[in-house]
Amino acid sequence: VMDKNKGDKDLFFEKLVWMTTAEAAEYLRRSVGAVRIMVHRRQLPARKLGRRIYFNKMELDRLLETSFY
């Protein structure tokens, strides 16, 4: 049985090109603080516009595909 809300989230992320820190954290299944630390350590590619940080979904996907553990 597929959770209706999970399907809605998948559609939401499919159409999204740029993500906020909170959206990127949810997408990566990390906390907002963890995402900010990863940006500070240059482990995550991010763009800054004013005081806000944005993440490109394709760059995050590429990072996930090439990561290993």
Side-chain angles (χ1 to χ4, degrees), residues 30-47:
R30 300 281 180 240
S31 69
V32 172
V35 169
R36 287 184 179 144
I37 289 170
M38 292 172 79
V39 169
H40 179 73
R41 292 178 180 168
R42 299 186 186 268
Q43 295 172 333
L44 276 182
R47 306 293 188 289

Side-chain angles (χ1 to χ4, degrees), residues 9-19 23-29 38 43-47 54-68:
K9 275 187 186 179
D10 291 341
L11 286 176
F12 174 77
F13 284 124
E14 277 184 31
K15 295 179 182 180
L16 205 58
V17 175
W18 291 97
M19 297 183 191
E23 291 166 344
E26 184 177 343
Y27 186 68
L28 297 172
R29 296 184 178 150
M38 292 172 79
Q43 295 172 333
L44 276 182
R47 306 293 188 289
Y54 294 97
F55 302 87
N56 185 294
K57 183 182 178 293
M58 288 177 60
E59 289 177 353
L60 295 180
D61 287 340
R62 192 173 319 122
L63 182 73
L64 289 172
E65 289 173 7
T66 59
S67 65
F68 59 93

